[in-house]
Amino acid sequence: MPARAAVLALLLALSLGLFARRALLLVRLVRLGRPVDRSGDLPRRLLREVAHVLGQRKLLQRPLPGLMHALIFWGFLVLLTTIAEALGQVIDPDFALPLIGRAGWLGLLQDLFAAGVLAGIAIALWIRLVQRPERFIGSHAREAYRILGWITWIVLTLFLGNAARIAQGVAEAPRAWTPISSLLARPLEGLSEGRLFLLEQASLWVHLALIFSFLVYLTYSKHLHIATSAINVFLAKTEPPGALTPLPISLEALEAGEQSLGAATIVDLTHKELLDLYTCTECGRCQALCPAWNTGKPLSPKLLVMNLRDQLFAEGPGILAARARGEEAQATPLVPEVVDEAVVWSCTTCGACVRECPVDIEHIDTIVDLRRNLVMAESRFPQEAGALLRNLENANNPWGMPQSQRAAWAEGLDVPVLGEGDPAPDVLYWVGCASAFDDRARRIARSLAKLLSAAGVSFAILGPRELCTGDPARRMGNEYLFQELAERNVATLTEAGVTTIVANCPHCFNTLRNEYPRYGGRFEVLHHTELLARLVREGKLRPSAALDTLLAYHDPCYLGRHNGIYEEPRALLATVPGVRSVEMPRHGPRGFCCGAGGARMWMEERIGKRINEERADEAAATGADTVGVACPYCLVMLDDGHRARGDDVRVLDVAQVLERAALPEPAPSPTD
Ligand code: SF4
Ligand code: SF4
């Protein structure tokens, strides 16, 4: 016995020692990055831990792969008890866990969950070998099979050891409680006691050797996520998903060389962004829904994460060694050496990747940090986007239009413009630059203003005092410009005594609601579909004229995925007589972007298929004659998409649809 205990202690010490050595390096590599505060909102973090990690909620959004992972994950939680038993039984064959070790229910749980792990492995093989989903393109397939094989042997040796113990009559749980192991014990029953003992001990030792080596191997493999997922989920943002992680800019720190503008090299990523790299399981769920990847762009959120991870492992140890010598290592610029510039600019910040990722990786923050460095430190961006930034700097709006033209869309509508010192209206209508300056989007503003007037809402607009919220500047990477615009807008709104804002642009809505509070702007912010739905519910608007249309509603990313508003626009459309709704295959939380977010609205789309045309194809395939939107960007993009197709599908904002039903134009009289 002392010899067996010594061997076990040696193996355990070796595997734990190697694990700890690697873990220490991994921690030091993460600490190379920038600190980011993720300490607040503990209850929410704990709840998410329960839902995402223990409950596997995000994984189970896809039933078959979710079931596969849950079976393996939950199985291993239960099998922690069998590992503890095996550790004891290689030293003392009569060992059982204190209190619960000989309980029938524990034996049953262990038996069923071990079988569940094998079922999970079978599903994984079915998915990989038979279904062959495209989401695995670029993932390490060989490593995945190696891990699946490893886990299979861990469970098979467990069963074999159990069966040998049952055949010897020394198993802890009553035989009836371990049906699968008992079944496997039957063919062994003719063996001598000595051979059964040998078989049992050999199985246990191999079982433990597999586990010890797995413990070390996982720290070098994509299965590192086993160790880091729970931490990554805990540290994920608790702010609304539409709020970008801010980059507080201090001019003094910049001048002293103590602050980096975004991410130039791997060490400029934040601690969370670096931990994200370890945690990627290469499942490809993000890639499967990425509009850029799906239209032939070079951006795959999965491959981006994998490339950055490779870079961290390739360069990080050298940087640590240099720092240990008191030297500052010259780190490689991430763009374009590690990440192609086209990758950085292809992202629409649609949020599909972040929402899908089962381990809460925050791809958008990383991409925007790369953009921040290109834009603010290097002045490198697509040429057309330069006009956007110049217009924002010089004219306070992306169109470069004079601010005096802000209210031109309202001509003839008698919309009150809030002057300095005027009493605050009940509702401030935040028009947004698109609805103020784009000819097609202006129609949304006119519809909304008419509906608000008809419903008796006391509202006003800021007119020339409204500036761009800064959303396109921020998503493009110009955090400095965003902060300046945000502070000026917050000052105007606060001075005017505004308490409630309605915005018809989801980008403005998201920024006002989720990002301005950090700059002191705390208002009740509604999207126009929320307010209009309320007005219809209260009977202040009565959609009564029938429209006779088949309508496919397109979920704007910044309304749906980033703010969870899917139902209000649909509920509103359902109140309109004659509107028959049809859903596109990609809708709701798995909706497909129009291609305009992330400042892509102002960039050319030269690679692959145009995203708006892909979406227009999908809408047209439903047979709908109208596409409903709730965003001026989507309206323009999808209208362009349908024009390019040459079809006669109309694109209308929900407000325009409601106006036609609630405020129909009077029919021309026979004498007209
Ligand atoms: S935010 Fe959208 S476009 Fe950007 S990487 Fe994620 S899925 Fe792709
Ligand atoms: S980033 Fe998340 S969703 Fe994408 S491959 Fe990695 S784990 Fe899967």
Side-chain angles (χ1 to χ4, degrees), residues 20 43 46 64 93 170 185 191 224 279-280 294 313 399 416 452 509 571 579 590 603 626 656:
L46 293 175
L64 191 65
V170 297
L191 295 178
L224 185 51
T279 310
C280 177
N294 278 293
F313 286 139
W399 274 260
L452 294 178
F509 165 72
V579 170
R590 295 227 165 106
M603 295 180 217
T626 305
Q656 293 174 281

Side-chain angles (χ1 to χ4, degrees), residues 28 40 182 202 232 305 319 336 422 426 428 442 507 516 523-524 546-547 590:
R28 290 175 67 214
S182 297
N232 211 52
V305 169
I319 296 173
D422 288 351
D426 290 349
L428 188 283
R442 279 177 165 183
H507 300 266
Y516 276 16
F523 318 102
E524 182 194 16
L547 298 189
R590 295 227 165 106

Side-chain angles (χ1 to χ4, degrees), residues 286 289-293 299 301 346-354 363-364 367:
C286 53
L289 288 198
C290 174
W293 178 259
L299 166 63
S346 291
C347 179
T348 67
T349 66
C350 74
C353 49
V354 179
H363 316 72
I364 298 179
I367 291 171

Side-chain angles (χ1 to χ4, degrees), residues 37-50 233-239:
D37 182 16
R38 296 290 168 89
S39 56
D41 213 348
L42 189 62
R44 188 130 172 225
R45 293 183 189 283
L46 293 175
L47 274 179
R48 203 166 45 195
E49 203 70 17
V50 172
V233 169
F234 185 83
L235 294 177
K237 279 194 280 201
T238 52
E239 292 85 15

